[in-house]
Amino acid sequence: MLHGTAATVVLLRDAPDGLQVLLLERPRHRGSFAGAWVFPGGRVDPEDYGLPADSVQPTANDDGELAAALRAGVRETEEETGLRLAEPNLVRLSCWEPPPEAPRRYRTWFFLAEAPEGEILLSPEEHVDAVWLTPADTFRRQREGSMELYPPTWVTLHGLLGVETVAAALAAAGAAAPQTYTTRQLPGQTPPVMVWHGDAEYPQLPGDPEARHRLVMGGDGWLYERTL
């Protein structure tokens, strides 16, 4: 059962060493994703649908879900970073659903946006540090053990490897159909393996015997495999 909807905004900027992404560090001993580095974002509230705060949130099939997620993404980004975005500047990238065994399950819309100028002002209740990094540098820090990432963050960063500019990232996302990742974890696998539609071992709709759409979460470096 899904507990609601959430929004995540991947903020991008151009830098001399290449395309950079803003990552925020969650507190280590409390809250969701404790100790992990994440993108700005959070839960879609009833007010994002234009409803009173004490209203029941619409179902995931509500036609207003995407618009509400956009509003939530803009609101959460300002609350968590102090940066103000405009809804038309957000480009829809993907939609993620966690595996059934996750304790709190939110359908999360991911958006790309160019970061506006301004100082990062963290909300101390939400995050304890912020850093701009290229995707490659983020993966290097993860391998070294200084950054903890979750699969949606890792796969999103993997998709930005080799993209040189903000304009190129936004153009590619705008031209592509948003992808949905309904995650399942393969039982009994060491290291853990997450699979998605098209993988040979995906429980609901398995692909061909040799097909792969998975993330192998090895301790010395994660491996994303996808055959078209």
Side-chain angles (χ1 to χ4, degrees), residues 23 29 64 84 89 92 104 123 128 131 137 161 167-168 178 192 207 222:
L23 291 161
H29 303 296
R84 294 186 177 184
N89 295 336
R92 184 171 48 162
R104 299 289 290 174
S123 171
V128 296
V131 66
D137 282 340
L161 285 172
W222 294 4

Side-chain angles (χ1 to χ4, degrees), residues 205-225:
L205 293 171
D208 294 333
E210 301 300 320
R212 291 290 182 269
H213 188 193
R214 61 177 58 191
L215 179 63
V216 182
M217 301 164 64
D220 57 349
W222 294 4
L223 175 64
Y224 183 62
E225 299 179 84

Side-chain angles (χ1 to χ4, degrees), residues 47-89:
E47 297 94 324
D48 297 315
Y49 288 93
L51 299 173
D54 57 355
S55 297
V56 176
Q57 186 170 319
T59 67
N61 293 325
D62 190 291
D63 290 339
E65 180 183 274
L66 182 58
L70 274 168
R71 287 190 284 271
V74 170
R75 173 179 55 76
E76 289 283 345
T77 298
E78 184 172 3
E79 291 175 0
E80 295 180 355
T81 70
L83 299 177
R84 294 186 177 184
L85 300 173
E87 288 180 30
N89 295 336

Side-chain angles (χ1 to χ4, degrees), residues 2 37 51 69 78 85 89 106 138-139 146 149 180 184 212:
L2 290 171
W37 289 81
L51 299 173
E78 184 172 3
L85 300 173
N89 295 336
Y106 287 87
T138 304
F139 292 155
S146 62
L149 301 174
T180 297
R184 295 293 182 268
R212 291 290 182 269

